Amino acid sequence: MGQCSCHPEKISQEEKDADNLKREIRLTLPGGLFMPVERTDLLELLTQQDKIANKAKDISGRIIGRELLVPEVIQTPSSLICNVVLMQ
């Protein structure tokens, strides 16, 4: 087993950036009648994406805060996911 090598500061910053982007989209999304997709559908999609970002931050915080050991079987897949998400 090994320790998680994710970067909590980067994960937290990415989540904050996602919150800022979500806020900007909500404020600038037109309220007109002629959008190809309903405004409420787009807002619901933003909400679900925000929940994913929040959950990723929470999970990484728990893994790092509790100094949990990651089983070797999932170390490589976990590292790959972390690197893709953080675009490293």
Side-chain angles (χ1 to χ4, degrees):
M1 290 199 187
Q3 288 193 303
C4 181
S5 63
C6 288
H7 309 281
E9 301 85 19
K10 178 123 174 96
I11 293 170
S12 182
Q13 184 58 50
E14 292 292 333
E15 197 275 330
K16 286 178 188 173
D17 291 346
D19 283 343
N20 290 336
L21 184 57
K22 176 188 71 172
R23 193 173 301 109
E24 182 180 336
I25 290 171
R26 285 183 181 205
L27 292 174
T28 59
L29 194 62
L33 301 172
F34 301 109
M35 288 179 48
V37 178
E38 285 195 42
R39 187 175 196 276
T40 55
D41 291 342
L42 290 175
L43 293 175
E44 178 60 27
L45 177 61
L46 280 175
T47 298
Q48 295 306 316
Q49 289 176 328
D50 185 48
K51 287 180 181 181
I52 292 169
N54 290 340
K55 192 62 71 176
K57 185 179 85 169
D58 293 345
I59 291 169
S60 67
R62 288 181 182 175
I63 290 172
I64 293 165
R66 294 178 183 176
E67 298 179 6
L68 296 178
L69 298 178
V70 179
E72 289 181 27
V73 170
I74 63 170
Q75 280 182 15
T76 300
S78 297
S79 294
L80 290 172
I81 291 170
C82 194
N83 290 337
V84 167
V85 169
L86 297 176
M87 292 181 235
Q88 297 175 343

